[in-house]
Amino acid sequence: MDGVIAPWTGSHNALNSYGDDHWERRAPIAAALTRRRVEAMTPVIESIVQDVLDGLDGVGAQRKVDLVQSYALFIPHEVITRLLGVPAEHLPAFSAAAAGLFDTSAGAEEMTRSMGAVLALLEQLVAGAREHPGDNLVGDLVRAADASGNPLSDAALRDQLMLIIAGTEATAHAIGTLLVHLLSHPDQLDLVTSGQVPMEDALTESLRLRPPIASVPLRFAAWQFEDVGSGEQFGEGEPILIHIAGADLHPERYEDPERFDVRREGGSRSLAFGYGPHVCPGAALATREIVIAVTRFLERYPHARLALAPEPLEQTASFISNGYTSIAVELS
Ligand code: HEM
């Protein structure tokens, strides 16, 4: 509870609840992330992406940028802060604290600090929404929970919002990773930019090959069972760490699993957004953001190339989040 997975095991939210309790916690969040909200957010996402691209146009003569810091991180953080109604001046602290939640190389003390910073900000948001529920996701959550006749406490609402922050980090990694996959595979890039393969399919393949959430801590066996593949026995209540990133590279499931192939069939069966009752309710929003961000980047900079081959790119110090911490790109 006080270690590096404390943000995931120490809070009571949809991710780590079960049965009716899970449903009660998940329903208001899923209701606030409907396709209608994603449609309503689309022009906002487009305008955020255009603004960030305009900012990139202003970089110096060398035309070299770090895609993570100057692009991939910016977009989901802007989207989510508008969705949640976070005041602009809180954005840098919010982003730093959110990244801290995933750093499984951090000490317990550092993790407690990151968690404290995120929780304090979320408490402010919940208090504001209780007083004046605005036309944003926090307002929706308060209204939906109240209307259900089973209103959530402030702490429960705050713990729920933490999952949305986690989704933001995952979206940023997905943008960076898809761009790395495409820029390092010119033949695959061609298939997408020529319109032969939809960007959504390239994303599905990129998520399979390198899912931004490598594992979800923790699951617990609801009853005693035997894993069919390995014959491993699990007793009721035993903790289980499911390694999504490994499962999606299984050679029995995918032919030549390490190959990036935007025309691969069956990629949507990947576990990148999870599976079953807990499957990610933010998947539609994340997909829309990633597709717009990567499509518009490639339209604006059709000659962009990686300044370093993918292999030496620095990766997240985490067994939960899976992405690059910096991606040097020459824009033209
Ligand atoms: C590429 C981006 C994203 C990825 C890869 C991702 C992945 C995941 C995964 C693997 C799970 C666990 C599912 C399971 O255990 O079966 C999950 C759950 C969840 N995600 Fe996402 N996510 C992303 C974006 C988002 C966004 C943008 C939001 C919200 C705005 C979000 C909100 C949630 C919530 C609330 C849950 C808990 C659902 C439950 O337990 O019922 N995610 N996500």
Side-chain angles (χ1 to χ4, degrees):
M1 286 296 195
D2 58 358
V4 291
I5 58 170
W8 317 109
T9 53
S11 48
H12 191 174
N13 52 31
L15 194 64
N16 50 25
S17 49
Y18 182 68
D20 290 346
D21 184 31
H22 168 238
W23 185 245
E24 264 172 32
R25 277 157 214 280
R26 180 184 168 96
I29 223 164
L33 288 169
T34 55
R35 295 218 167 254
R36 194 176 58 83
R37 191 166 272 283
V38 174
E39 289 310 327
M41 281 301 286
T42 299
V44 179
I45 299 171
E46 286 280 7
S47 114
I48 290 171
V49 168
Q50 292 307 330
D51 285 352
V52 183
L53 284 170
D54 290 347
L56 282 188
D57 274 346
V59 299
Q62 272 190 317
R63 313 282 289 148
K64 215 184 216 181
V65 294
D66 175 0
L67 263 186
V68 177
Q69 295 304 326
S70 341
Y71 195 65
L73 269 175
F74 246 108
I75 294 162
H77 280 158
E78 282 280 343
V79 170
I80 213 70
T81 48
R82 292 200 205 178
L83 200 62
L84 297 181
V86 177
E89 66 269 22
H90 290 321
L91 188 54
F94 186 78
S95 306
L101 293 183
F102 283 103
D103 186 356
T104 47
S105 72
E109 215 175 281
E110 215 175 319
M111 185 54 76
T112 307
R113 237 192 339 267
S114 295
M115 221 174 131
V118 172
L119 294 182
L121 184 57
L122 294 179
E123 271 158 17
Q124 270 180 38
L125 280 179
V126 169
R130 286 270 191 228
E131 234 169 88
H132 306 288
D135 185 19
N136 55 40
L137 197 141
V138 190
D140 280 0
L141 281 183
V142 170
R143 276 186 293 268
D146 289 352
S148 72
N150 194 2
L152 295 175
S153 68
D154 283 3
L157 277 167
R158 181 199 68 185
D159 284 2
Q160 294 283 79
L161 292 173
M162 217 167 81
L163 293 177
I164 294 178
I165 294 182
T168 306
E169 195 68 11
T171 308
H173 285 312
I175 294 173
T177 302
L178 177 55
L179 276 165
V180 169
H181 276 139
L182 288 172
L183 294 177
S184 57
H185 295 84
D187 55 329
Q188 304 293 305
L189 175 62
D190 236 27
L191 288 170
V192 177
T193 50
S194 64
Q196 294 176 67
V197 173
M199 183 62 85
E200 283 79 359
D201 289 9
L203 171 61
T204 300
E205 173 66 346
S206 180
L207 289 174
R208 177 196 68 80
L209 193 52
R210 201 186 162 97
I213 307 267
S215 57
V216 182
L218 273 176
R219 296 287 174 237
F220 297 88
W223 54 82
Q224 186 185 342
F225 74 99
E226 179 183 315
D227 175 46
V228 183
S230 62
E232 196 89 32
Q233 300 282 337
F234 292 90
E236 185 181 329
E238 249 188 275
I240 302 171
L241 187 69
I242 296 173
H243 194 52
I244 293 174
D248 281 338
L249 292 177
H250 202 294
E252 277 173 24
R253 198 170 164 93
Y254 296 101
E255 201 189 312
D256 196 1
E258 306 270 351
R259 186 164 44 92
F260 177 63
D261 176 0
V262 295
R263 288 201 275 207
R264 185 186 291 278
E265 280 176 17
S268 57
R269 292 181 304 137
S270 104
L271 293 180
F273 285 115
Y275 181 79
H278 290 272
V279 71
C280 177
L285 175 66
T287 300
R288 187 64 59 90
E289 283 180 57
I290 301 158
V291 165
I292 294 176
V294 174
T295 306
R296 300 288 173 254
F297 179 87
L298 294 170
E299 282 168 3
R300 181 82 66 107
Y301 303 111
H303 305 297
R305 54 199 166 93
L306 293 175
L308 289 174
E311 290 75 25
L313 291 177
E314 198 186 315
Q315 319 212 357
T316 43
S318 176
F319 58 78
I320 304 170
S321 89
N322 186 25
Y324 299 108
T325 52
S326 140
I327 304 169
V329 165
E330 287 164 19
L331 294 178
S332 55

